[in-house]
Every structure is written in C-alpha cells, then in structure tokens.
C-alpha cells in the first residue's frame, strides 16, 4: 500500500512581500510572496499549490441546535399555457446533533460511531482547499489488485434505498462516478456496496488524505483517516463504503467492483465546496478544513437523495465556478470537470451510459466572490448557466433540472451587495427559460462550519426542502 500524506508547509519570513489571506503562497514554479498576512499560514495543498489559510485545528464534537424556515420555488416546465411560480414554505424542526438527520434513509440513519482500531488510523491534520481559493488537482496513479477478499460473496443489495449490484457481480457495485479501469474513488461520496457471508476485508490503497464512512447493516462507523485495508466482521452482512472527502485531498483505490447499474432514480449533483461538504463537521468559522472535517454523506445532496430512496452522483470541487473560479484558481471551470469520469481523469472521458433523471446544480458562490476583482457580470453568469444546462441536456435528454441558490451569499447594506437576490433572480430566469426549477437556500445563520461554510445542521435543514421539491415534480 502506498500512502502519500500532504504535509503542512509553514512559511518563514524569507520574502519581504506578504501574500493576502486565502492567496497563493507557494508551489512548483511559484515566484510570489511566501509569507502570509497576520493570522494566516502557508499550507501546502499539493506540490503545485500552497495557500494562506488560518489554522487552529478546531474540530467540533457537537453543533448547536437551530430551527430554520426555508422556501422552495419551483418553476413549471415552459409551455404556452403556463408560466406561474409555485411557492412552498417548509418549517424544519431543530436537529438534535450532528449524528441525527431527520430524513436519512436506513443505510445512513444510524448515529456515527467512533472507529475501532482495526478500521481507522489516527486523524491527520493536513490542511486543504478553501472554498474561495482551492486550485489543487490530485493526479494519483496508484492501484491495487482487488477490493474485497471474502470466503463467500453474494450480489445482494446492501442498502434498501439504492439499485442492486449488477447481476453476476461477486464484489459488489461501485457508487457514483468511478472509472472501473482504475477503481479510483476521487469524487466525494463515491464508494462501494456489496454483501458477503463469511470473512471479508476491503483491500485498498490511497494517495493524499482521505476520510470515509463504513456502513455495516445500517450502522455507520466514521473512518477519519483511511490508510489501511478495512477488516470486516465475520458472518453475513450488507456493507456500504462512502468517501467523505473531496478529490483535492486525495483518492482511495479499490478494484473489482462493477459499474453502477441503471436506476430509475438517479440524481446528479453538480457543485462546489458546499456540495462537497467542506468544513461541515468543523466548529467554524475559523477552523481549518481537512479531509477529516469534510463530510459528504451529511450534505444536503446525500441526505435529500437518501430521503427519496435515490442513487446519486456528486460531481463537485471546492473553489470552482461556472463563469470564473475563486480569485486564486486559474484551473478548469466546473463545466469542464463535469466531463471527467473520475475527478483526476482527462476531460471528456465520462461516457454518460448511466442516465440521471434529475440534475441539481449549485454553482455561483465562487463566481460572486470578489477578492479584489470586478463584480460578477450577471448576464454572463446567467448565460453560462443556461449554456451548461444545454450541454447537460445533450447527455441526459430526459433529465429534470433543479437550480439552487447559495446560503453563503447574503444581501448586505450598500449598492450592489445584494448577492443572494442577484443569484436567485438569475437562476429563476434560467429555470423559466429551460423548464427547470429553482430551490432557494436562504442565507445561513451564525452557526457555521469551517471557512464560513454550512454546518451539518444547515445541510440537514435544507435537505428535506430540496427532497420535497424533487418529489413534487417527479412524483417519487
């Protein structure tokens, strides 16, 4: 097994100039300032990119309880006779703790348990990409010979809320976008589902820093640092494994699973760090994000899909936008990354053989972020979203589209600072023009994850709102 741990790189005072907060401060070929503003430290995201981030290593054990009221606005399919907007207001009860999710289905509803010594290593504290600055792309090439070593295997489904593995599969079914030729779990939320009777172990290799959820017969164990093979209990069990962290931190390689079977309930989520689950388990806003506090299975996306008993793909990367990425990120836009099979594969490698019935797009937070640059051209943003939907429609011709606003954008005093309203208005215009649906995610409250991101309670509160909107339209 090969493990590459991303190191923390603390800059000294070698450079007289100072990089601003959330600005690049190092990496291969970089010649700019290598020291950061007061309270920020230069942290290596990869050999190619280092970033000025705050650092205090905080991780919360419990998050505050907070009831919320949210509003869903669904625009009907465009037609000559209908152009009205339906408004649904839902009041969501308080969430008791981070491990309690009111809408989770059977495979994820059990409280998270502390990992045993046989399934987890000590969490690392390597820092990672911030929503507003990440540019690193991990290009890992490690592979392993097999996924599961078992005395007996079955192809029974491990979860009641998803499609069964392909017929004849002994090693189970890949979950999400996983290139079967590499077995790389790169996108957040990707994983493996299988059943066995006997003795078994999940064999894997890793690059970077990764966290995961191991779900055995409906009970979830969090593995904060996935570095070694995962032994499983003897007997007959249903198993699901999900990657919690995003591609920018690293990848987990498993091999021998089969490609996902076609499903009549497949939702594809396309987004940035909000959809990734950046800082979700952190006690923010000043904590540093790591692979350990990213928690994709607790995002609004995963929870909404589970509530609808639907399969899901999550194609998301922190710092990405549809017109422009976060100010320090000159890498590919999300529309380009979306064409990849795995997050680190070449562009245009995904074959779209498995069709999504619903596509949820949550992009724009990074487009609106300023960082000293000009304000976002709203016409360009609206045009880019419309064009991207057209591209997606060519691949998923039967899909229904849902566009979401960002809880990280607020309306504040002053001309031109009504970002949440600007984004919402643009997305409603797009939804009306393409026959899609707009779901508003109001600005979050004071309880935050790392880097001012939505925490577990905020995600859990928004999930039933999105699930309700999808259910009303799709009849699921």
């Amino acid at each position: 097994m090969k493990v590459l741990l991303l190191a923390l790189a603390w800059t000294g005072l070698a450079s007289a100039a100072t990089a601003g907060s959330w600005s690049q401060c190092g990496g291969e070929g970089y010649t700019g300032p290598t020291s950061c503003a007061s309270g920020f430290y230069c942290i290596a995201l990869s050999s190619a990119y280092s970033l000025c981030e705050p650092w205090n290593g905080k991780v919360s054990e419990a998050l505050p309880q907070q009831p919320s009221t949210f509003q869903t606005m669904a625009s009907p399919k465009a037609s000559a006779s209908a152009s009205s907007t339906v408004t649904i207001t839902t009041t969501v009860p308080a969430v008791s703790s981070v491990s309690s999710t009111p809408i989770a289905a059977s495979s994820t509803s059990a409280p998270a348990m502390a990992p045993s010594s046989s399934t987890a290593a000590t969490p690392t504290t390597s820092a990672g990409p911030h929503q507003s600055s990440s540019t690193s792309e991990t290009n890992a090439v490690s592979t392993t010979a097999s996924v599961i070593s078992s005395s007996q295997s079955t192809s029974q489904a491990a979860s009641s809320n998803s499609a069964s593995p392909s017929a004849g599969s002994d090693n189970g079914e890949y979950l999400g976008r996983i290139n079967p030729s590499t077995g790389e779990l790169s996108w957040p939320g990707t994983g493996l589902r299988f059943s066995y009777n006997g003795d078994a172990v999940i064999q894997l290799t890793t690059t970077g820093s990764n966290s995961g959820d191991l779900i055995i017969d409906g009970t979830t164990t969090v593995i904060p640092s996935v570095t070694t093979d995962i032994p499983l209990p003897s007997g007959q069990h249903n198993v699901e494994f999900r990657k919690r962290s995003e591609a920018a931190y690293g990848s987990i390689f498993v091999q021998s699973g089969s490609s996902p079977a076609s499903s009549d309930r497949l939702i594809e989520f396309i987004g940035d760090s909000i959809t990734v689950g950046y800082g979700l388990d952190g006690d923010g806003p000043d904590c540093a994000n790591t692979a350990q506090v990213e928690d994709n299975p607790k995002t609004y996306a995963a929870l909404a899909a589970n509530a609808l008993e639907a399969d899901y793909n999550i194609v998301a990367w922190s710092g990405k936008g549809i017109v422009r990425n976060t100010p320090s990120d000159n890498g590919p836009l999300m529309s380009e990354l979306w064409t990849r099979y795995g997050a680190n594969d070449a562009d245009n490698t995904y074959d779209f053989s498995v069709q999504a019935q619903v596509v949820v797009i949550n992009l724009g937070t990074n487009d609106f972020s300023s960082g000293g640059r000009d304000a976002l051209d709203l016409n360009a943003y609206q045009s880019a979203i419309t064009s991207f939907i057209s591209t997606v429609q060519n691949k998923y011709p039967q899909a229904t589209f849902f566009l979401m606003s960002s809880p990280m954008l607020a309306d504040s005093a002053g001309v031109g600072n009504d970002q949440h309203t600007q984004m919402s208005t643009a997305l409603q215009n797009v939804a009306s023009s393409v026959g899609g649906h707009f779901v508003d995610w109001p600005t979050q409250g004071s309880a935050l994850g790392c880097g001012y991101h939505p925490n577990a309670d905020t995600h859990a509160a928004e999930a039933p709102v999105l699930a309700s909107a999808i259910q009303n339209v799709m009849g699921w």
Side-chain angles (χ1 to χ4, degrees), residues 211-403:
S211 60
D213 276 356
L214 178 65
I215 306 162
I216 302 178
D217 301 327
T219 298
T220 300
T221 297
V222 175
I223 306 179
S225 186
V226 179
T227 59
T228 62
D229 294 349
I230 304 173
L232 301 171
S234 298
Q236 185 170 351
H237 300 283
N238 296 321
V239 176
E240 185 171 309
F241 177 79
R242 291 275 187 179
K243 187 172 185 276
R244 287 159 45 103
S245 49
E246 65 177 305
Y249 281 109
S251 290
I252 302 169
F253 292 83
V254 294
Q255 211 161 10
S256 295
S258 63
S259 296
S262 295
S263 170
D264 60 358
R265 289 192 183 185
L266 174 61
I267 306 173
E268 184 156 291
F269 296 88
I270 307 171
D272 50 34
S273 62
I274 296 172
T275 307
V276 162
Y278 180 105
L280 188 152
D281 283 339
D283 184 9
D286 295 327
C287 55
N289 188 58
T290 66
Q292 287 68 49
V293 296
E294 288 193 343
D295 197 344
N296 188 262
K298 288 183 183 175
T299 59
Y300 75 93
L303 296 178
N306 288 338
L308 294 167
E309 298 186 350
D311 289 318
Y312 61 89
N313 295 336
I314 292 182
V315 185
W317 194 303
S318 292
K320 300 300 180 181
I322 191 69
V323 173
R324 59 188 188 181
N325 298 327
T326 195
S328 303
D329 188 344
N330 295 318
L333 297 170
M334 201 61 226
S335 55
E336 181 178 336
L337 295 173
W338 176 77
T339 68
R340 299 179 180 183
Y341 212 141
N344 301 306
D345 290 346
D347 294 344
N348 301 305
T349 48
Y350 189 53
D351 60 8
F352 300 96
S353 59
V354 179
Q355 289 287 294
Q357 286 74 47
V358 169
V359 175
V360 178
I361 299 175
N362 189 339
L363 290 171
T365 303
N366 297 302
D367 298 88
F368 276 92
S369 63
S370 58
R373 60 186 177 179
D374 292 339
L376 177 66
D377 184 329
L378 294 176
N379 290 330
Y381 172 71
Q382 187 168 308
S383 177
I385 290 282
T386 303
S387 176
F388 181 51
I389 290 175
S390 178
T391 298
V392 178
Q393 283 177 324
N394 287 334
K395 300 297 185 181
Y396 299 137
Q398 302 303 316
T400 301
F401 289 79
F402 293 81
L403 309 180

Side-chain angles (χ1 to χ4, degrees), residues 158-181:
S159 171
S160 62
N161 67 354
S162 299
S164 300
S166 302
S169 168
D170 289 333
N171 289 308
E173 176 192 20
Y174 285 138
L175 302 171
R177 279 200 197 180
I178 302 173
N179 189 334
S181 66

Side-chain angles (χ1 to χ4, degrees), residues 60 62-67 94-98 283 446-448 455-458:
S60 68
L63 296 174
Q65 303 173 23
Q66 183 175 333
V95 182
S96 60
S97 71
V98 294
D283 184 9
S446 58
L448 302 168
N455 66 9
D457 288 350
T458 302

Side-chain angles (χ1 to χ4, degrees), residues 73-86:
M73 301 176 65
S75 302
K77 293 278 187 180
S79 66
S81 58
S83 60
S84 61
T85 297
V86 178

